Amino acid sequence: MSVKHALLALLSWKPSTMYQLRKAFDASTGETWPLNIGQVSTTLQRLERDGLVEQELAEAGEPEPWKLTAGGRAEVDAWWQSPVPRETPGRDELVIKLALAVTVPGVDVAALVQRQRSATLQVLHDITKARRGVEQADIAVRLVLDNHIFTTEAELRWLDDVEETLVRAQATATAGTTAPVQADRQGPTPAKTAKARSRR
Amino acid sequence: MNAANSPVLEIRNASRVHGQGERAVQALADANLRINAGEFVAIMGPSGSGKSTLLHLAGGLDIPTCGQVLVEGTDLASLSIARRAVIRRQSVGYVFQDFNLLPALTAAENVAFPLELDGWQRKKARQAALASLEETGVAMLADRRPEDMSGGQAQRVAIARALVGPRRLLLADEPTGALDSATGTAILRLLREKADNGAAVLMVTHEARYAAWTDRTLFLRDGRIIDQSGPSDASELLAQGTA
């Protein structure tokens, strides 16, 4: 996540002090990516070094607001204009864990999938609970939490798909055409059923 | 309304076997479940895992081969078929994927219908129906027939019918299955409100995003409750940036 561009975007709205910037960032993201004041300070110093922000003259005793330079405004305009690149899939621990689980003999993959499903659903419960408490008008926080809901739900659907793949592999193995895979589940997965329904 | 910790539904060591001998199929095995007033519980699991069997037992549509199912303290298996039907009408409300409203009746008539079957005077039943429609946010549909309602409206009427009168146990079988995502979320918000106001709600769903509205989600596989999940006590999870 680009703290640099987030701060530039907030400064394009209005000049702000370091503390105002942190508060505005937390408010607009539902405090899902809390920034510490040190991160804000360090980022502002780099932006100043690069000629993208500057400090306004301060009145006596008041904290000094930061504002964009012309270069900073051009930078934030360019940011709005360009799509965010999709990152190359990283070394997601869950993906690697499951890949290893189906490789290493003796691992109860079905139980592993279920434990993960239960834990991920608990996260979904928590996010949904938090989302229910968000005011209708608080669109920024709503869309951030909705993003968490979609990504968590995607993981659950993927786990359903993993189970289905294991069941198919098990069936094929039972028929004697491939190596055995540990799985004991039957029937179509919830996600597949739901997807099929949504297509109708 | 009972205290929040009073069980509206209790399933104790319930099993259900269909058929006999070599043809016997264990649809549900040694299930235990307790739902208090004000609790909202989801059941998830693959097809054939026993979800519908559990829901049918909970509502007295079927009885366990062994074990007990108690609705507001009454063991359904101990009752005659006729008496069980009365308990079903008086204590249990159902919500289905396809709403199951009677097409020839208006919303108010649909909601009043179970009360009239139970011997309520028509006027009193209508008053209770209108109150239930009001609580469910669809009072304006009272004189409309199902064919003149959207899916979301019809499901709201079905929920009003499920909880009309003294009924406090709501059993919902894929209540969002025929609805788009936004309407489905609105229905879950309504079911959540009903639970928060004292109803006990048991819902079968395939959708994790809807299960996440409940207090607990049970996972069924091969007729057994294998796991459950719910919100953690610390919803500060989000504030910690770990979500």
Side-chain angles (χ1 to χ4, degrees):
Chain A
M1 205 276 299
S2 170
V3 177
K4 166 187 166 182
H5 287 110
L7 297 186
L8 288 174
L10 289 170
L11 288 173
S12 73
W13 175 26
K14 60 184 178 186
S16 304
T17 66
M18 201 162 53
Y19 290 96
Q20 287 169 337
L21 282 170
R22 187 180 72 161
K23 194 174 171 186
F25 180 85
D26 286 351
S28 61
T29 58
E31 301 184 352
T32 46
W33 291 290
L35 274 184
N36 66 51
I37 202 70
Q39 281 176 286
V40 181
S41 172
T42 308
T43 307
L44 283 170
Q45 285 168 19
R46 287 184 189 145
L47 291 171
E48 185 180 33
R49 180 198 64 198
D50 296 340
L52 300 176
V53 301
E54 60 191 5
Q55 275 182 301
E56 291 194 325
L57 289 176
E59 293 178 19
E62 292 296 313
E64 298 167 354
W66 291 84
K67 67 176 186 179
L68 291 185
T69 62
R73 188 159 294 281
E75 176 76 20
V76 79
D77 285 346
W79 187 57
W80 291 130
Q81 295 297 323
S82 45
V84 176
R86 184 83 189 155
E87 289 179 10
T88 308
R91 292 186 179 184
D92 185 294
E93 183 177 345
L94 176 58
V95 179
I96 293 169
K97 189 175 183 178
L98 278 166
L100 289 170
V102 297
T103 306
V104 176
V107 179
D108 186 344
V109 187
L112 192 157
V113 168
Q114 179 54 37
R115 276 195 297 276
Q116 186 64 42
R117 190 199 330 267
S118 185
T120 305
L121 185 60
Q122 180 175 316
V123 173
L124 188 58
H125 270 285
D126 287 334
I127 303 167
T128 304
K129 198 172 178 182
R131 174 69 173 79
R132 291 207 305 268
V134 176
E135 295 291 331
Q136 191 72 10
D138 208 342
I139 294 172
V141 174
R142 281 169 54 198
L143 72 85
V144 168
L145 290 176
D146 283 346
N147 175 266
H148 286 317
I149 288 172
F150 278 110
T151 51
T152 309
E153 196 182 18
E155 182 173 298
L156 287 164
R157 286 178 184 272
W158 176 69
L159 288 169
D160 287 343
D161 203 60
V162 167
E163 262 191 343
E164 189 175 346
T165 302
L166 292 174
V167 170
R168 277 202 304 267
Q170 174 80 9
T172 310
T174 305
T177 56
T178 191
V181 176
Q182 299 93 22
D184 62 1
R185 196 166 166 279
Q186 295 176 349
T189 63
K192 288 289 176 185
T193 312
K195 272 186 262 179
R197 195 169 46 248
S198 68
R199 280 196 295 270
R200 287 204 292 268
Chain B
M1 188 180 300
N2 284 6
N5 61 358
S6 62
V8 176
L9 172 68
E10 236 184 321
I11 296 177
R12 296 178 183 163
N13 306 110
S15 296
R16 182 69 175 99
V17 178
H18 297 293
Q20 290 182 329
E22 288 184 0
R23 290 185 173 180
V25 176
Q26 180 111 38
L28 195 69
D30 202 25
N32 284 284
L33 172 63
R34 175 182 163 128
I35 306 182
N36 294 336
E39 260 197 307
F40 188 3
V41 177
I43 309 172
M44 294 187 82
S47 300
S49 61
K51 302 187 300 293
S52 295
T53 301
L54 185 60
L55 209 64
H56 289 165
L57 293 181
L61 293 172
D62 192 6
I63 55 172
T65 312
C66 61
Q68 287 182 303
V69 176
L70 294 91
V71 173
E72 301 196 276
T74 302
D75 182 0
L76 298 182
S78 70
L79 305 175
S80 66
I81 292 175
R83 182 66 194 143
R84 201 159 65 237
V86 171
I87 291 284
R88 275 207 307 270
R89 278 204 308 275
Q90 293 179 342
S91 302
V92 187
Y94 293 90
V95 175
F96 302 93
Q97 181 173 329
D98 51 2
F99 325 129
N100 280 16
L101 296 175
L102 295 170
L105 303 183
T106 65
E109 288 165 347
N110 262 287
V111 177
F113 190 60
L115 299 178
E116 289 183 42
L117 277 181
D118 226 27
W120 287 43
Q121 289 178 345
R122 177 163 288 190
K123 189 176 173 184
K124 197 178 162 201
R126 182 171 172 85
Q127 282 173 347
L130 292 176
S132 190
L133 287 167
E134 177 80 40
E135 285 172 15
T136 311
V138 282
M140 69 289 191
L141 303 176
D143 296 320
R144 225 183 269 184
R145 287 197 167 80
E147 64 184 6
D148 298 322
M149 298 175 200
S150 68
Q153 288 172 332
Q155 196 59 299
R156 283 172 177 272
V157 171
I159 291 169
R161 180 181 60 183
L163 287 175
V164 69
R167 293 187 280 182
R168 292 192 308 149
L169 176 59
L170 194 157
L171 305 176
D173 195 354
E174 296 280 3
T176 57
L179 305 174
D180 62 66
S181 175
T183 311
T185 300
I187 291 301
L188 261 295
R189 190 178 293 279
L190 178 61
L191 292 174
R192 180 71 258 176
E193 278 175 21
K194 294 295 184 188
D196 290 343
N197 290 330
V201 184
L202 181 61
M203 172 181 73
V204 167
T205 183
H206 280 109
E207 300 271 4
R209 64 164 44 206
Y210 297 138
W213 281 76
T214 66
D215 299 305
R216 278 183 289 149
T217 300
L218 308 179
F219 295 96
L220 273 173
R221 184 188 296 161
D222 300 331
R224 293 184 183 276
I225 298 173
I226 57 163
D227 202 359
Q228 65 173 298
S229 180
S232 59
D233 291 333
S235 281
E236 302 82 40
L237 188 75
L238 291 170
Q240 292 163 8
T242 54

